[in-house]
Amino acid sequence: MRYAEAGYNLEIDLTRGNIERVETDPDLMARHLGGLGTSVKIHYDRVPPETQAFDPENLLVFSNGLLCGTPAFSANRTLVSFISPQTHLLAYPMMGGFWASELKYAGYDKVIVRGKSPKLIYIWIHNDKVEIRDASHLKGKGAIETQEMIRAELNEPNAQVLAIGLGGENRCFTASIEQSRSSSSRGGGGAVLGDKNLKAIAVRGTKPVHLARGAEFMEHLKEVRQYIDFRNENPIPEVMPILSGIGSPQMMKHVDEQWHTEAFAWGNARTRRKGFWTKEIEESWEKSQRSAIKRFISCYNCPQQCGALINIEGVPPYMIKCFSKLTYAMAAHVDDLDFSWRICHKAFEYGLDSFSTPQILAFGIELYEAGILTDEDFKGCPTDKEGRFFWLLDRVARREGIGDVLADGTYWAARRIGNGAEAFDHNTTKKHEQMNIKLGMLDPMYFLMYATNEKISITQIEGNWPQAPFPDKEKRKSFVKNWPQLPNDRFKEYFLQWEPRGEKSNPEFPTPDMCSEIVDWMEMLHNIDDALGICAGMGSFCLKPPYHIHNYHKLVSAATGMDVGQEDLKTIVKRSRNLHRAFNNIRGMCRADEKPPEDHWKHRFPELEENLLTTYYRFKGWTDEGVPTRKLLEELDLDYVADDLEQRGILKNGQDNQEN
Amino acid sequence: MAKITKKIKTIKVDADKCNGCRTCEIVCSAHHSTPRYSTVNPAASRIHVITRRLRDIWLPVFAGEYTPAECNGRDKYVIDGKEYDECAFCRAACPSRDLFKDPDSGLPLKCDMCEGEDMPLCVEWCLNDVLIYEEREEEVDEEVLLDEMETGLEALMEKFGRDKVESTLNRMSRNG
Ligand code: SF4
Ligand code: SF4
Ligand code: SF4
């Protein structure tokens, strides 16, 4: 009997049309948990470094997390991993919703897709019955309408369906995978589905998931639940409302967007609009949001409600989540929130990432205004701000004219366009668009997160540590008082000392050593969440969350029967983290790539930045080139990785941490 | 028939508040697994959340009595402009659908209000106050209610015939 995990993967070869149900080695769970951990292992073992995103050998792995399907609140993440067309590294965007647990109930932990289908197909998984079905009638259909059409034709209203739209079919580098109220967006997974001619995967499962010590599991979960209740009733008083709760319902529930609209940059991450949030805007946005939202909705097994059903005149109903509410409006410099509700429907149907895509469109407009793109490129484009965004979005999804170039994302488009366009690519890390934040002073922790994390997209790396120091000493004291989530009390001191100005402020404080500890802790939490399939909004991505380093191991132990302690859990995710790192190193990623967006902060400190990087690398047990050392790899039972790295000349024989 | 005082347990459903999380399904199925909380399988839950997301329908329905025969007429309901599927409101485990049947054995499931617990588990774990437990005393005719095993046996007899079930039971008890 396998506990928590199903113990089977589905292996589907689209070239040959072959489907296999493969039992997995239980030892893999002990060594890598599940979700991200075991997925990285599969890519490491099976995808050679020369493989490119659109090669048939590029594996597309759909995975649930170890705790998906158990009663653990918010354990519902679907993790999709693949070589990204944008970064050429291993990407693993995740989505909430309902698909992951359904897959577990169907009896599988992962669906591993390889090869390419000669014609457009979709996959239908119904417990042990798995079919590859013709999808030619779904060609060009929207990602939302496809889900509905498949449910109807299967006559299975309870099937959960993930699908791509035209963006994915046309291999746009920022194409997303859409499912229910969620989407798997970063890194262009939708393009890889499109390349494989895979339109959708529908799944329905009616099998049980087993818990090793269920009653004990429920006792631990009760404590988690008590904390959820407590946090919902007691928002953190010291921080602004959008940071004070758990989950990420702020975008739908909260109307006050002063902070996002004034602190983040508009357009192609260029201009901040201080003073934007006037009384008039507040009233009009509140009215727009209240009338657009029909109902708040959650993901599977989650009491929070971060998504919403949108119902506005002239637009078919659809579901929205997260920050998409603002990205298009801000990128387009449109002050009317109604525009967001309208364009998001279109963008979701096309299946395009709503973080990267708006930036790319804004980048196109900036190039046009700078005379680098011409009237010829924009022939037929309306001149009003809203109109030209709709027009550009259509071009990108269809890969028509200038849209074909922009569909490769800012980095690649800039290089294709040339003529000075490269200078406008100022907000990417490792060729991937970042949040459109443009700030004054360099922030050392964010510097490390942007530069070094394998997730690349910053919004999913930060979380447990407050984004900025509190000016008020009393508030700091009160904040640290009740902070059981911290790994140790030393962190409280760091926080108490941290000031907005003066000696103990950015960029000198927290010091590189402290930053390393804090960033490493947050990263570890993300890695645990991503292995367990837990929503970051209940763990790693919010202040004082219900799941943390002191209760995760209890849940994992009771669910799996493995009896892991806190330290064991840390070691397991560290193992997977370093395996992922090594995989990307083998694909060429090195220190020179570890740079946050060029134009992210006004004040940069090249020397300090180098120091930060070196300190962090050494803290992590990496060489000064950012490669895991043999010593570390051996500690993690990854000797075979050290051998690989040495054979490839990425790790020099005997190279260890120089000065430790 | 003699009158007795009976505790009537009901769960009021405020479907407008439902966010569609299905935690109620999870906890119901886990609670009713043997040993308790050893497995989770929403398909074996005695509450089912009917979900038609784009039509704004999230409707928790509890498993009611088993019925051996399909009904003749089907009803369509339109409430607040939303049209509900023909069987949406029906609580019966019936031959024409899989709902409220154990996915392995096909035997009917029925909400037992979590007999023996202080509070129905689905109510306790729905953190959105969609499900509200109500209890009241009522004078009712004394009647013998079928318990879970009887309901199951009745369904088996319906499917395989009384003789077959009887002979199987006899054989099994001899072997055991
Ligand atoms: S917190 Fe929000 S995003 Fe996370 S699982 Fe719950 S509803 Fe989904
Ligand atoms: S637990 Fe409550 S909110 Fe969630 S689906 Fe059930 S009734 Fe709806
Ligand atoms: S009351 Fe108990 S048996 Fe009935 S649906 Fe709720 S959890 Fe299930």
Side-chain angles (χ1 to χ4, degrees):
Chain A
M1 171 94 68
R2 300 286 278 268
Y3 295 110
E5 60 175 0
Y8 287 89
N9 289 340
L10 260 182
E11 294 267 1
I12 301 180
D13 183 335
L14 291 178
T15 306
R16 292 163 48 222
N18 190 46
I19 301 169
E20 271 174 76
R21 179 170 174 266
V22 180
E23 189 170 0
T24 57
D25 179 358
D27 187 48
L28 282 173
M29 176 174 79
R31 299 175 58 74
H32 296 281
L33 287 180
L36 175 63
T38 38
S39 287
V40 169
K41 174 75 176 138
I42 290 169
H43 289 281
Y44 190 93
D45 289 349
R46 293 170 49 180
V47 182
E50 7 3 298
T51 301
Q52 296 298 309
F54 298 146
D55 290 344
E57 294 77 25
N58 189 11
L59 290 187
L60 190 50
V61 180
F62 300 86
S63 176
N64 49 40
L66 184 63
L67 294 185
C68 290
T70 74
F73 284 117
S74 319
N76 53 43
R77 256 42 194 178
T78 304
L79 185 139
V80 190
S81 49
F82 49 88
I83 302 295
S84 157
Q86 210 181 17
T87 65
H88 297 174
L89 302 171
L90 181 63
Y92 63 104
M94 286 167 295
M95 58 184 156
F98 297 79
W99 196 89
S101 351
E102 200 70 29
L103 183 71
K104 188 75 80 64
Y105 298 132
Y108 310 98
D109 298 310
K110 296 183 200 295
V111 181
I112 304 168
V113 180
R114 63 179 186 274
K116 283 190 200 197
S117 162
K119 58 178 181 87
L120 196 66
I121 52 101
Y122 75 91
I123 297 169
W124 166 222
I125 303 167
H126 191 178
N127 297 327
D128 296 337
K129 200 175 116 222
V130 183
E131 294 170 57
I132 295 174
R133 295 172 67 111
D134 177 54
S136 45
H137 59 301
L138 300 169
K139 197 168 173 55
K141 295 284 180 216
I144 305 170
E145 56 176 337
T146 296
Q147 299 174 43
E148 293 299 306
M149 286 173 74
I150 290 179
R151 267 191 211 107
E153 76 182 42
L154 295 171
N155 194 19
E156 274 287 347
N158 293 323
Q160 305 296 340
V161 188
L162 60 79
I164 56 167
L166 200 56
E169 283 184 44
N170 287 337
R171 308 201 303 187
C172 299
F173 286 9
T174 57
S176 61
I177 305 160
E178 302 288 322
Q179 174 251 142
S180 180
R181 42 135 294 156
S182 299
S183 72
S184 171
S185 296
R186 312 296 270 154
V192 181
L193 270 91
D195 178 64
K196 295 194 178 306
N197 259 327
L198 173 58
K199 179 72 179 174
I201 306 181
V203 56
R204 171 79 180 127
T206 58
K207 294 189 191 185
V209 169
H210 302 273
L211 296 173
R213 301 194 296 269
E216 181 192 319
F217 186 88
M218 293 308 282
E219 286 308 310
H220 295 314
L221 196 63
K222 265 187 199 155
E223 282 171 29
V224 172
R225 182 222 155 134
Q226 271 163 11
Y227 192 82
I228 294 174
D229 285 341
F230 168 79
R231 281 299 313 279
N232 282 341
E233 281 155 27
N234 299 279
I236 302 177
E238 295 88 5
V239 296
M240 66 177 104
I242 56 162
L243 298 174
S244 66
I246 44 178
S248 53
Q250 47 272 55
M251 295 311 299
M252 291 305 135
K253 288 218 161 150
H254 295 275
V255 180
D256 182 353
E257 289 297 351
Q258 176 162 19
W259 185 69
H260 281 124
T261 54
E262 295 192 354
F264 287 27
W266 292 58
N268 175 28
R270 288 283 180 185
T271 21
R272 282 174 62 189
R273 294 176 69 187
K274 290 188 181 146
F276 168 78
W277 195 254
T278 58
K279 191 93 208 121
E280 204 182 316
I281 288 283
E282 187 179 347
E283 278 168 13
S284 108
W285 280 36
E286 168 144 22
K287 191 163 158 258
S288 167
Q289 186 162 330
R290 301 261 184 256
S291 63
I293 292 179
K294 185 88 179 149
R295 182 191 292 253
F296 295 111
I297 44 185
S298 77
C299 304
Y300 186 65
N301 196 13
C302 178
Q304 306 307 103
Q305 300 158 33
C306 309
L309 178 67
I310 302 298
N311 218 341
I312 57 165
E313 222 184 296
V315 177
Y318 71 100
M319 289 167 279
I320 196 169
K321 59 270 167 181
C322 203
F323 198 56
S324 337
K325 180 181 103 185
L326 292 184
T327 52
Y328 281 95
M330 287 178 71
H333 276 279
V334 169
D335 297 358
D336 178 359
L337 193 61
D338 278 355
F339 168 70
S340 287
W341 311 122
R342 283 185 286 112
I343 197 161
C344 278
H345 172 260
K346 208 156 203 208
F348 294 171
E349 282 287 28
Y350 281 146
L352 289 169
D353 170 4
S354 40
F355 276 82
S356 284
T357 312
Q359 297 243 342
I360 296 164
L361 305 186
F363 159 81
I365 285 167
E366 210 175 78
L367 291 182
Y368 176 62
E369 284 166 354
I372 297 174
L373 291 178
T374 61
D375 284 338
E376 189 54 36
D377 296 314
F378 276 70
K379 209 167 145 192
C381 180
T383 50
D384 65 300
K385 290 175 179 169
E386 299 195 7
R388 62 187 187 181
F389 243 58
F390 272 107
W391 183 86
L392 268 179
L393 183 68
D394 286 344
R395 299 280 104 41
V396 167
R398 296 173 194 285
R399 274 197 179 270
E400 280 170 12
I402 191 59
D404 182 40
V405 180
L406 294 176
D408 288 352
T410 315
Y411 176 89
W412 296 107
R415 270 128 201 101
R416 258 173 88 182
I417 295 165
N419 199 16
E422 293 91 339
F424 293 78
D425 160 36
H426 62 108
N427 193 39
T428 53
T429 306
K430 295 169 190 159
K431 312 180 179 68
H432 180 72
E433 292 76 16
Q434 290 299 341
M435 285 294 290
N436 49 342
I437 312 170
K438 196 181 166 188
L439 302 166
M441 188 61 76
L442 174 106
D443 179 326
M445 276 181 275
Y446 277 78
F447 171 85
L448 288 177
M449 291 189 275
Y450 272 110
T452 67
N453 196 279
E454 296 333 317
K455 200 176 284 186
I456 299 173
S457 161
I458 185 64
T459 51
Q460 303 283 311
I461 302 163
E462 56 182 336
N464 269 223
W465 186 261
Q467 293 176 351
F470 298 178
D472 184 331
K473 204 163 187 173
E474 287 314 306
K475 280 192 178 159
R476 291 208 288 268
K477 280 192 184 152
S478 130
F479 184 82
V480 301
K481 218 183 275 163
N482 187 358
W483 202 356
Q485 291 85 353
L486 279 181
N488 64 54
D489 278 354
R490 212 168 45 241
F491 285 60
K492 287 190 182 166
E493 271 314 303
Y494 303 163
F495 187 71
L496 286 170
Q497 289 178 31
W498 193 25
E499 301 266 4
R501 263 170 291 281
E503 251 177 69
K504 296 276 172 73
S505 73
N506 288 357
E508 306 294 341
F509 195 90
T511 64
D513 286 319
M514 295 173 186
C515 287
S516 299
E517 274 187 87
I518 299 168
V519 170
D520 178 67
W521 164 55
M522 286 197 277
E523 184 186 78
M524 172 187 63
L525 292 172
H526 277 279
N527 284 326
I528 296 177
D529 283 347
D530 301 348
L532 303 182
I534 292 208
C535 169
M538 300 295 265
S540 49
F541 189 58
C542 61
L543 295 172
K544 301 187 176 178
Y547 290 117
H548 48 78
I549 192 63
H550 307 294
N551 59 18
Y552 265 140
H553 63 286
K554 299 183 196 166
L555 287 161
V556 171
S557 297
T560 62
M562 274 195 317
D563 283 323
V564 288
Q566 221 181 90
E567 291 306 315
D568 303 320
L569 200 58
K570 287 184 192 168
T571 306
I572 298 173
V573 293
K574 198 169 170 187
R575 179 177 299 128
S576 306
R577 165 81 187 94
N578 280 283
L579 191 65
H580 195 164
R581 183 87 192 169
F583 181 84
N584 281 346
N585 290 144
I586 291 174
R587 299 187 67 83
M589 190 189 74
C590 62
R591 182 179 184 126
D593 300 307
E594 306 242 89
K595 290 192 288 248
E598 192 188 308
D599 199 17
H600 193 76
W601 295 285
K602 223 193 280 161
H603 307 293
R604 296 291 288 262
F605 302 83
E607 252 175 65
L608 172 68
E609 292 176 18
E610 290 305 318
N611 181 19
L612 270 166
L613 214 51
T614 305
T615 310
Y616 187 63
Y617 281 177
R618 292 181 183 175
F619 179 89
K620 296 289 271 191
W622 299 342
T623 69
D624 286 351
E625 263 307 300
V627 182
T629 56
R630 172 170 281 281
K631 182 164 165 269
L632 172 72
L633 292 168
E634 285 181 353
E635 273 167 25
L636 298 170
D637 294 331
L638 295 173
D639 308 40
Y640 65 97
V641 177
D643 296 345
D644 274 1
L645 291 170
E646 276 181 10
Q647 264 163 29
R648 294 174 191 277
I650 295 161
L651 205 54
K652 306 283 174 295
N653 201 357
Q655 185 177 24
D656 260 329
N657 240 353
Q658 299 74 1
E659 281 159 41
N660 290 356
Chain B
M1 213 178 278
K3 293 268 183 199
I4 53 161
T5 317
K6 205 181 147 201
K7 216 189 250 173
I8 304 285
K9 300 172 178 175
T10 50
I11 295 171
K12 202 169 92 186
V13 179
D14 187 351
D16 283 344
K17 283 193 190 150
C18 180
N19 66 7
C21 66
R22 300 172 58 198
T23 300
C24 46
E25 295 180 10
I26 294 165
V27 81
C28 176
S29 76
H31 181 76
H32 287 86
S33 65
T34 331
R36 211 153 259 195
Y37 302 117
S38 59
T39 64
V40 181
N41 185 1
S45 165
R46 291 134 208 254
I47 178 168
H48 175 65
V49 185
I50 307 236
T51 309
R52 303 290 177 268
R53 297 183 186 121
L54 297 179
R55 281 195 271 148
D56 190 29
I57 293 174
W58 278 268
L59 180 70
V61 177
F62 296 89
E65 297 296 337
Y66 158 74
T67 165
E70 233 174 289
C71 59
N72 291 327
R74 304 271 164 89
D75 296 318
K76 276 202 177 186
Y77 295 87
V78 178
I79 302 173
D80 272 347
K82 292 179 250 177
E83 186 178 299
Y84 290 81
D85 293 345
E86 291 166 341
C87 300
F89 295 98
C90 180
R91 302 176 51 210
C94 93
S96 72
R97 59 178 187 176
D98 293 336
L99 202 63
F100 302 135
K101 284 184 198 145
D102 183 87
D104 292 330
S105 63
L107 292 177
L109 300 164
K110 181 177 178 295
C111 167
D112 61 2
M113 291 276 163
C114 292
E115 199 57 62
E117 296 293 315
D118 298 341
M119 169 81 88
L121 271 288
C122 57
V123 174
E124 194 184 320
W125 286 83
C126 171
L127 302 193
N128 290 295
D129 301 330
V130 176
L131 310 175
I132 300 147
Y133 182 59
E134 288 176 349
E135 223 176 57
R136 60 175 192 276
E137 308 246 297
E138 230 173 58
E139 292 262 294
V140 291
D141 287 336
E142 191 173 20
E143 59 168 332
V144 187
L145 281 177
L146 293 183
D147 70 10
E148 201 165 85
M149 194 183 296
E150 283 178 69
T151 314
L153 279 174
E154 199 176 76
L156 283 175
M157 286 193 277
E158 195 64 41
K159 195 165 169 187
F160 299 108
R162 171 180 287 271
D163 291 348
K164 187 116 198 215
V165 172
E166 257 178 21
S167 66
T168 310
L169 270 179
N170 283 335
R171 181 169 46 79
M172 283 172 69
S173 51
R174 271 203 306 279
N175 289 348

